[in-house]
Each structure stands twice: as structure tokens, then as C-alpha cells.
Amino acid sequence: MSERTLILIKPDGVARGLVGEVVRRIEGKGLQLVAMELRTIDHATAAEHYAEHEGRPYYEDLMSFITGGPLVAIVAEGDRAIEAFRQLAGSTDPVAAPTGSIRGDFATATNRNIVHGSDSPENGIREAKIFFPNL
Ligand code: CDP
Ligand code: MG
């Protein structure tokens, strides 16, 4: 079934020049780009996006990191897009992520793991609205 997922190329991915690489993998997988924008987000937007993580030990670092520089927000659509992109990204801990996945190929630290991808169709819709309210 066709779904939408919200993908972020986080500030570490943008700073390291990995935008083209990540977009190539998204397109190569056959997902359609529906929206894409380079922007620096404020604390309120970040807090809404990561609401379920409030209170976790890594939360403050995550907030300052994700607001600390430009990121690329993408809405991608396709058959099983949520699972398809989570598979492209690899697991949250990049050292555990398989070689061939984005995190597995390009990161070592869980708090600097290059990309975000929605984890359910409901969150895909919720998160896409935060970044692209008019979509
Ligand atoms: O991004 P993903 O859905 O794979 O992981 P998550 O468990 O939903 O965590 C969201 C984000 O919080 C991660 O991608 C990391 O950027 C950050 N995080 C962290 O810095 N340290 C942790 N131990 C867990 C998560
Ligand atoms: Mg998550």
C-alpha cells in the first residue's frame, strides 16, 4: 500500500555533504519525492517532532544538535515507504547497522546518525504535517 514517510537528512549529514548520496538511495529504491527543503528548524519544531523522546538522557543533546544547522526535510511516497526507508537507513546505532545501509556506511555514533525516517504510517502523516503543513 502506498504510504508517506518523513525523512530528515540531519545537520551532520548536510555538513558532511551527504545530501546527494541519501537522495540517490531514496530515488534508487523507487520512492517518489513529494516535498524537499533545506532549512534550519527552531526548538519548538524540534520538540514537536521528537515529543516522544522528552525526558530521555539524550534529549537535550538531540534538541541542540537537530536545531544547530541546516537539515533537509523530505516527504517520500511509495509502496511500504515507511519500512523501505527504515531499511535503507539501518538501525539507530550505526555500528550495529549493516554495511550497505546509510547509517552503516556513513556513521559511528547513535547521536550523529545522519538520517531520520518515520516509524509508522501514523507518524509519517504527523511528522510530514510538522514540516510541510500545506502538503
Ligand atoms: O531515529 P530512530 O527512529 O532510529 O531512533 P529513536 O530511538 O527514535 O531515536 C531518535 C533519535 O534520538 C536517534 O536517531 C538519535 O538521533 C537520538 N538518540 C540518541 O542520540 N541516543 C540514543 N541512545 C537514542 C536515540
Ligand atoms: Mg524514531
Side-chain angles (χ1 to χ4, degrees):
M1 202 189 80
S2 191
E3 296 171 340
R4 284 185 173 181
T5 184
L6 187 276
I7 296 166
L8 300 177
I9 307 173
K10 296 179 184 181
D12 56 336
V14 174
R16 289 181 51 197
L18 294 171
V19 173
E21 176 69 33
V22 172
V23 171
R24 186 184 66 76
R25 291 177 184 222
I26 295 166
E27 294 188 310
K29 188 68 178 172
L31 300 176
Q32 297 297 315
L33 301 178
V34 177
M36 180 160 76
E37 188 181 309
L38 181 80
R39 89 160 74 140
T40 302
I41 62 170
D42 61 17
H43 190 278
T45 304
E48 196 181 355
H49 176 70
Y50 280 125
E52 70 187 88
H53 298 273
E54 199 184 344
R56 297 287 165 83
Y58 54 84
Y59 181 76
E60 292 306 327
D61 171 72
L62 177 60
M63 285 298 107
S64 58
F65 161 63
I66 206 76
T67 59
L71 55 73
V72 173
I74 296 169
V75 175
E77 185 174 84
D79 188 39
R80 299 168 70 197
I82 301 283
E83 195 186 347
F85 183 76
R86 296 278 292 187
Q87 199 66 32
L88 286 182
S91 55
T92 310
D93 172 1
V95 172
T99 299
S101 66
I102 295 164
R103 288 164 167 173
D105 286 352
F106 296 112
T108 58
T110 298
N111 62 355
R112 298 291 183 275
N113 61 7
I114 315 286
V115 288
H116 165 83
S118 307
D119 63 6
S120 69
E122 297 72 32
N123 272 336
I125 292 163
R126 184 186 76 84
E127 294 170 0
K129 266 208 187 87
I130 295 169
F131 286 85
F132 301 100
N134 299 321
L135 207 62

